[in-house]
Amino acid sequence: MEEILEKARTAAEEAEIFSVTSENTPIQFETNRLKHAQTHQSATLALRVVKGGRTGYATATGQDKINRLVDAAVETAQYGAACKFEFPSLTKYPTVDIYDADALSISVKHMIELGEELISDIRRDWPELICQSWISRGTTRIFIMNTRGGRADYKQTHFTINLSGTSIRGTDMLFVGDGESSCHPILDTSSILANVTRQMEWARNLAKISTGAYPVIFTPSGVTSALISPFIAAFNGKTVLEGASPLGNCLGEAVFSPEITLFDDPTQPYRPSSRPCDDEAVPCNKIPLIERGVVKSFLYDLQTAALAGCRSTGNAGRGRGLPSPSPSNFVFSTGKVSFEDLIHDMKEGLIIEELMGAEQGNILGGDFSGNVLLGFKVEHGKIIGRVKDTMVSGNIYQLFKDVTTSSEARWLGGLYAPYFYFPRVSVASK
């Protein structure tokens, strides 16, 4: 990689090389049985150059392509966007614990046994469930180097377990599921089993709700499926620059309830979305986005920060192309009321575990609307059954002005969220 960077230095003014190598072992169960267990490796090399004030970019996955990487990147620069930033120089990074060798030591046999036991345990009480399970362990290494001396090199492990099940009762289909992820190995699956069991128990009976406005509780899973996408879009620095974010002109303003505090925090230990630096070798830090309802910051990479006249927040992420602003871990603060007490406060309302199709609305405007894939009716403080043929819709900028957050919270991927109680949400039912 040093040779490639040196070659790029002679063909362009600036250059940066980004390498990601990974090894993953996924174990998949379908219809209650093991489907496959395999290990695969991948390696990708990306080169970004600045030539004539414009950005060129190319990637390679094989030796032949690597040999042409510099030429390909330089060729694309004439069509690239004007470069407004400078690559970072060598710097120190925060210590973020994201590697646990024990996660890699779990054998394939042990992973298969975990999946078999999880499916067997849930079907012991619910034999009608058709179960799927996904168990994965792996490691990723990131290496970044640029012509200004910037250099980053770190490794990360991950371990994931998911369980989902389908129950078919005549024309009725029930979907349940839960999962956990960590940089540590996950050998205790009792919480996953307990959550799916709880869903099945609450879904024993069917319940109906009339069309109207009701109190609604979104569980952390419900937050993931319905509410988080508008937040991600609104705090993206690129969206702000384009004038498409409703929060673009709201820095320092109280837009949300004082109950709401939100951070982007890539320094959380042993979370798969944590990291010491972003994908441009900029050090990562805990970034306040909302403090007691007040908008505090947006997420930037080098290019968007330069265009905005500020510094990168260390939030550059990469998909298959150039870096762009992206969140790491969204961490909401918790409240003082228990989930149980939030339920007891309801005379009539819903608990939303998962919405289907919620992201098809006007996300940039904060809207969501979706069918309730898994949700439960509450009457007089008690859960009486599962709802069907029901839709829930709303706007986060209206709902989060009046919200109560629970004292309990949990991690789901890169989100740490409590239960959110909204006193009035639009519900439509057949």
Side-chain angles (χ1 to χ4, degrees):
M1 286 185 282
E2 287 85 352
E3 293 176 0
I4 294 173
L5 195 64
E6 187 60 34
K7 182 180 178 181
R9 189 196 302 267
T10 64
E13 293 91 64
E14 300 283 352
E16 167 208 69
I17 197 160
F18 176 87
S19 168
V20 54
T21 56
S22 65
E23 179 175 302
N24 295 290
T25 302
I27 310 295
Q28 186 174 357
F29 289 82
E30 283 191 4
T31 59
N32 306 323
R33 294 179 177 86
L34 177 66
K35 181 180 181 182
H36 68 68
Q38 59 186 9
T39 296
H40 57 261
Q41 299 174 329
S42 65
T44 301
L45 201 62
L47 177 66
R48 182 166 50 156
V49 301
V50 179
K51 184 174 177 61
R54 294 188 173 275
T55 303
Y57 182 79
T59 61
T61 55
Q63 187 61 47
D64 290 340
K65 291 184 178 180
I66 288 175
N67 291 335
R68 293 195 63 255
L69 189 61
V70 174
D71 293 338
V74 171
E75 288 172 4
T76 63
Q78 59 183 314
Y79 308 107
C83 178
K84 301 297 184 181
F85 64 90
E86 292 183 353
F87 291 117
S89 58
L90 185 63
T91 187
K92 291 184 178 180
Y93 301 110
T95 299
V96 182
D97 294 323
I98 53 175
Y99 187 87
D100 184 350
D102 289 344
L104 305 178
S105 68
I106 307 303
S107 68
V108 170
K109 179 182 178 182
H110 194 172
M111 294 168 69
I112 293 173
E113 290 173 349
L114 283 172
E116 290 174 339
E117 291 173 4
L118 195 54
I119 292 174
S120 175
D121 287 345
I122 192 64
R123 296 187 76 242
R124 185 175 295 116
D125 294 326
W126 313 96
E128 73 274 19
L129 271 182
I130 302 171
C131 293
Q132 293 77 43
S133 181
W134 175 274
I135 305 168
S136 176
R137 63 161 165 79
T139 182
T140 301
R141 181 184 179 185
I142 302 292
F143 179 81
I144 311 168
M145 185 167 57
N146 65 52
T147 50
R148 288 186 175 269
R151 184 185 181 100
D153 187 2
Y154 67 89
K155 293 192 297 183
Q156 181 179 47
T157 54
H158 70 79
F159 201 100
T160 301
I161 299 183
N162 289 305
L163 173 68
S164 62
T166 306
S167 175
I168 302 174
R169 306 168 182 171
T171 59
D172 177 38
M173 295 185 69
L174 167 64
F175 301 93
V176 294
D178 194 61
E180 294 182 7
S181 61
S182 176
C183 297
H184 292 306
I186 301 171
L187 304 180
D188 182 0
T189 60
S190 59
S191 63
I192 297 175
L193 182 64
N195 287 333
V196 177
T197 298
R198 181 193 68 177
Q199 293 170 2
M200 291 297 296
E201 290 174 346
W202 287 355
R204 283 181 184 272
N205 302 313
L206 289 176
K208 292 184 178 181
I209 189 168
S210 302
T211 297
Y214 296 92
V216 173
I217 297 173
F218 283 83
T219 71
S221 178
V223 174
T224 300
S225 67
L227 305 181
I228 202 63
S229 291
F231 280 103
I232 292 175
F235 285 98
N236 186 304
K238 184 177 180 180
T239 306
V240 173
L241 282 171
E242 293 170 347
S245 171
L247 301 179
N249 297 316
C250 296
L251 277 178
E253 296 183 10
V255 177
F256 305 99
S257 163
E259 283 262 325
I260 301 301
T261 292
L262 171 64
F263 290 89
D264 182 82
D265 189 1
T267 67
Q268 289 285 326
Y270 297 107
R271 297 308 309 165
S273 296
S274 295
R275 54 192 182 181
C277 67
D278 71 0
D279 289 348
E280 294 179 309
V282 176
C284 284
N285 294 285
K286 182 178 180 180
I287 305 296
L289 300 177
I290 306 170
E291 286 188 347
R292 295 190 56 80
V294 177
V295 177
K296 303 297 289 188
S297 182
F298 302 112
L299 304 179
Y300 292 104
D301 61 3
L302 288 172
Q303 176 76 351
T304 55
L307 293 171
C310 61
R311 300 182 64 180
S312 170
T313 56
N315 283 94
R318 298 191 190 230
R320 295 186 176 182
L322 288 165
S324 61
S326 63
S328 57
N329 298 307
F330 265 12
V331 180
F332 283 94
S333 63
T334 55
K336 299 180 180 179
V337 184
S338 70
F339 175 45
E340 184 177 348
D341 286 341
L342 292 177
I343 296 174
H344 288 166
D345 186 61
M346 280 190 180
K347 182 178 180 180
E348 183 179 15
L350 292 178
I351 298 173
I352 302 298
E353 191 80 37
E354 186 169 358
L355 284 189
M356 181 173 60
E359 296 182 356
Q360 296 178 6
N362 178 16
I363 292 177
L364 288 176
D367 295 330
F368 68 90
S369 177
N371 292 304
V372 179
L373 186 64
L374 184 60
F376 309 99
K377 174 77 177 296
V378 177
E379 287 186 4
H380 302 292
K382 294 184 178 180
I383 298 167
I384 65 168
R386 176 173 65 98
V387 295
K388 288 180 57 180
D389 303 321
T390 302
M391 291 188 66
V392 173
S393 60
N395 181 281
I396 66 165
Y397 299 109
Q398 297 301 319
L399 293 180
F400 277 88
K401 290 181 183 296
D402 187 6
V403 58
T404 302
T405 58
S406 71
S407 54
E408 307 97 325
R410 64 172 298 196
W411 281 102
L412 285 170
L415 174 70
Y416 183 74
Y419 297 81
F420 288 118
Y421 174 99
F422 303 104
R424 287 181 61 85
V425 179
S426 179
V427 176
S429 179
K430 290 183 180 179

